[in-house]
Amino acid sequence: MPLTISEDLKAQLSLLTTQNASVLQEFCRLANQYYRQEINPRIYNSASNKLGVQPSQVEDAVRALVFLLIHCTKAKASKLEVEELATSLNFTKDAVMVLADAYTNNEGDIKEYMKSMGVQVPHYNNLEWRFDILAGSRALHHIAEPLITLQLLLDHSSGIQQKNKEDGSGGKCEKILLQTDPNNLVHMTNVLEEALQEARTHHSRRVQQYLK
Amino acid sequence: MELSPEVSSALRLLGDASKTDNSTYQAVLSAVSADIGAGDGQEVSQPQPPTSGVVSYCHAALTTLFLESVRGGHSTSVVTSTLEDFMWPPDRVNEAIKKLDSHWSVTQTRLSSLGAFPPHIVDVDWQLKYEVRSSGGEVDKARGAVYLVRLHLDGSANSPLTFTCSLAQLTHMVTRLKQATRAVQKYANN
């Protein structure tokens, strides 16, 4: 099925179709940075000065390029189909190659970015525990209350943002301090063990097989 | 047991039969018992005029005595000797000690819940899902089963706390919880 794009998108890409391959290469690099949320607005200003256009046009062109690549990824287009689409948009031959390369080389990044746009729920990272005996407090002296303190680590960001953190901290990681007593600890452990058992049942395996 | 001068003088007044008649003493004692034994959200008693000023003063002092006894974990003999120091007659001392004893564990429970604690886990729910498609494109089939775990917390605005995890991660979490359970059981059995 041939890839098609809307007239609006064609209009926004028109800035790029008149540029040579090296300029398009720069735009592809900017699009890459866009996935990683690393774009500095000053880049748009410097690019607009070099090309003699408004910064907003540059920003629109980058967004249009990102949208184009996402659209191709969603449609699972082959390299050839992307080349055909680029040619139909009046890109030069060299520009077509640059675009097709950008599509194939950054497929992983585009997919991660698309995932980050989807439904996001905090994801489990780690659980540390500590068993304490509370000997007293301001409100009550001389007690011996067993308490279990738990530190739950949850990830809030998607994979692509985690990869880019230089210190390896793994993106937005939330540390949550919780507490429980021995009875609730045993109850919680039993309930979650039941949850693990459910994945091993015949029914769950059938659902998994059906989806393969 | 350390009590402030105001509380001490009010207790002296309450115990003095010549200054506080028996009916007033009984009213104060029953009001204090009712307030200490009352659940959360129940209204505390209000003294009636014309003796409301003195009665409030004694009510506050007796309540303070009861709470400090439980808070400090003082035995009844310590409380008895404190009241005897304030010249309380034996019958009033005995009645007060009886009321204190009957409300001891309730008061202790309520005092133990005061203080700064992290949110307390009281329950947990889970769901097992297999992701098929999403608006963000095809779901990575290798992810397989995804668990949605919900922790119900007491004393937190974030309750319930929800997060997802894979089968391997839930196994890791359950292993950690079992380690904690074993540690607690080991000390419980000693």
Side-chain angles (χ1 to χ4, degrees), chain A residues 120-126 152-158 162 172-174 176, chain B residues 131 143 145-148 162-170:
Chain A
Q120 290 283 299
V121 185
H123 197 82
Y124 172 86
N125 187 310
N126 196 12
L152 182 63
L153 258 83
L154 296 179
D155 288 332
H156 284 272
S157 60
S158 69
Q162 286 178 348
K172 284 175 265 179
C173 211
E174 192 187 353
I176 304 172
Chain B
E131 293 178 358
R143 260 158 68 89
V146 172
Y147 282 95
L148 186 78
T162 310
F163 59 91
T164 57
C165 55
S166 65
L167 184 61
Q169 286 166 333
L170 186 64

Side-chain angles (χ1 to χ4, degrees), chain B residues 12-157:
Chain B
R12 260 182 250 270
L13 179 64
L14 187 61
D16 192 342
S18 63
K19 299 217 176 99
T20 315
D21 61 18
N22 204 39
S23 57
T24 313
Y25 166 77
Q26 292 295 343
V28 169
L29 186 62
S30 50
V32 169
S33 305
D35 291 341
I36 281 188
D40 287 331
Q42 280 181 281
E43 288 225 359
V44 293
S45 53
Q46 298 291 336
Q48 300 303 313
T51 56
S52 35
V54 168
V55 169
S56 298
Y57 190 44
C58 295
H59 173 281
L62 191 59
T63 313
T64 308
L65 176 77
F66 277 21
L67 289 176
E68 282 297 310
S69 309
V70 177
R71 187 175 89 106
H74 298 294
S75 64
T76 43
S77 56
V78 170
V79 185
T80 309
S81 59
T82 309
L83 290 173
E84 282 168 359
D85 286 346
F86 292 142
M87 316 300 253
W88 276 43
D91 57 333
R92 288 195 183 184
V93 170
N94 290 339
E95 281 179 21
I97 296 291
K98 237 176 33 186
K99 289 284 184 186
L100 176 62
D101 259 342
S102 65
H103 293 293
W104 189 279
S105 41
V106 166
T107 313
Q108 205 174 33
T109 312
R110 290 181 74 187
L111 284 174
S112 70
S113 68
L114 295 175
F117 294 104
H120 198 98
I121 301 175
V122 290
D123 203 0
V124 61
D125 285 329
W126 59 269
Q127 282 181 0
L128 172 58
K129 298 191 207 188
Y130 289 89
E131 293 178 358
V132 184
R133 283 295 293 267
S134 83
S135 58
E138 284 283 0
V139 165
D140 185 8
K141 293 240 165 53
R143 260 158 68 89
V146 172
Y147 282 95
L148 186 78
V149 178
R150 183 162 290 176
L151 298 174
H152 294 270
L153 307 173
D154 213 11
S156 166

Side-chain angles (χ1 to χ4, degrees), chain A residues 15-30 47 50-51 58 62 65 91 95 98:
Chain A
L15 170 68
L16 299 173
T17 51
T18 54
Q19 307 300 329
N20 61 38
S22 57
V23 172
L24 191 63
Q25 183 92 317
E26 264 308 296
F27 270 92
C28 288
R29 202 181 56 79
L30 282 177
K50 280 188 214 159
L51 296 170
V58 174
V62 173
L65 188 58
F91 278 100
V98 164

